[in-house]
Amino acid sequence: MLGAVAAQGPRGEHLEAFYGAVYYLATRPGEAATLRESDFVLPPESEPEAWGEVLVSESHPEVGSGWTDSGKSHDERGLKHPARKAVRAVPVPPVYVRMVRSHIARFGVGPGGRLFRAARGGRIASTEYSEVWSEARTAVLSEQELKTALAEVPYSLRHAAISLWIKSGMDPVEAAYRAGHSLAVLYRFYAKLLKGGSAAANLLVEQGLRADE
């Protein structure tokens, strides 16, 4: 989907790293839209496989299904954003370190060092990034897939990111922190994945008990 976004012409090329933030960092679109160059601490270019870090501190959600955790036009009570001045440090994987560097080299930054802006300047609106996403989705999915909820909205990238973290074995507390969720919300929306992880954890405990015996 990220490749299909970049194939949508100049507007899509500029937004590729925006969608990348939603996937690789699990930011909300409203958080990705406010990212600035100064928010990132990137490793030296001589260390291509090193991780960086980004401080996520601001979000301006719009009313629309593309902006919410639930996919509805509004966030549920348990999904309210943290305090306005809350900041969370999110590790940046090498693949997104490279994407950020490439984006800045090609497009520069906007006023205040903001990474992403609309095609005509100014802040990215949900209508713009949702339109590009819809065009990319049509380009890569089959007719049958288009009738399903597969990658239905840009927020699907955030869900995919958190699901990947959980399936990879990340501690739920750490996953909740990186995503800006409460642990209760994480368990509510990703219960099936977390339950699968519990089965694997039970096996490890069982092996440990046998070793003790």
Side-chain angles (χ1 to χ4, degrees), residues 120-178:
R120 297 183 179 180
R123 189 177 177 280
I124 300 172
S126 63
T127 51
E128 180 168 358
Y129 79 72
S130 293
E131 181 179 332
V132 172
W133 182 260
S134 179
E135 292 170 355
R137 188 172 183 266
T138 301
V140 299
L141 299 186
S142 67
E143 290 186 9
Q144 183 174 357
E145 289 170 333
L146 287 172
K147 297 177 182 178
T148 71
L150 179 64
E152 189 172 22
V153 293
Y155 223 101
S156 302
L157 289 168
R158 174 170 157 85
H159 290 310
I162 298 171
S163 298
L164 175 63
W165 292 350
I166 293 171
K167 288 189 290 185
S168 297
M170 184 181 292
D171 184 278
V173 174
E174 176 68 12
Y177 169 76
R178 293 189 186 192

Side-chain angles (χ1 to χ4, degrees), residues 2-16 19 106-107 119 128 132 135-136:
L2 291 179
V5 163
Q8 299 306 308
R11 186 170 61 162
E13 292 171 353
H14 184 271
L15 287 177
E16 182 183 13
Y19 295 110
R106 183 173 182 183
F107 301 106
E128 180 168 358
V132 172
E135 292 170 355

Side-chain angles (χ1 to χ4, degrees), residues 24-210:
Y24 292 113
L25 309 177
T27 61
R28 298 173 178 88
E31 294 168 338
T34 64
L35 288 175
R36 294 172 170 81
E37 183 178 16
S38 59
D39 295 329
F40 288 84
V41 178
L42 301 180
E45 292 191 56
S46 59
E47 301 177 19
E49 298 306 317
W51 286 60
E53 186 176 72
V54 62
L55 298 180
V56 180
S57 60
E58 187 179 2
S59 181
H60 296 288
E62 294 184 10
V63 176
S65 61
W67 291 82
T68 62
D69 289 284
S70 61
K72 299 178 181 178
S73 61
H74 61 281
D75 274 337
E76 298 181 13
R77 172 172 291 184
L79 295 172
K80 288 182 179 179
H81 296 289
R84 180 170 295 180
K85 294 184 179 180
V87 177
R88 67 183 189 274
V90 180
V92 180
V95 61
Y96 195 62
V97 168
R98 293 189 291 271
M99 187 176 286
V100 169
R101 281 207 171 103
S102 176
H103 177 87
I104 294 174
R106 183 173 182 183
F107 301 106
V109 296
R114 185 163 291 179
L115 291 186
F116 311 117
R117 51 196 181 277
R120 297 183 179 180
R123 189 177 177 280
I124 300 172
S126 63
T127 51
E128 180 168 358
Y129 79 72
S130 293
E131 181 179 332
V132 172
W133 182 260
S134 179
E135 292 170 355
R137 188 172 183 266
T138 301
V140 299
L141 299 186
S142 67
E143 290 186 9
Q144 183 174 357
E145 289 170 333
L146 287 172
K147 297 177 182 178
T148 71
L150 179 64
E152 189 172 22
V153 293
Y155 223 101
S156 302
L157 289 168
R158 174 170 157 85
H159 290 310
I162 298 171
S163 298
L164 175 63
W165 292 350
I166 293 171
K167 288 189 290 185
S168 297
M170 184 181 292
D171 184 278
V173 174
E174 176 68 12
Y177 169 76
R178 293 189 186 192
H181 271 321
S182 69
L183 192 57
V185 166
L186 189 78
Y187 272 93
R188 184 190 310 166
F189 282 91
Y190 301 93
K192 291 183 179 179
L193 288 173
L194 289 165
K195 189 173 183 180
S198 294
N202 290 345
L203 179 60
L204 292 174
V205 172
E206 185 177 347
Q207 292 172 346
L209 291 173
R210 289 176 179 174

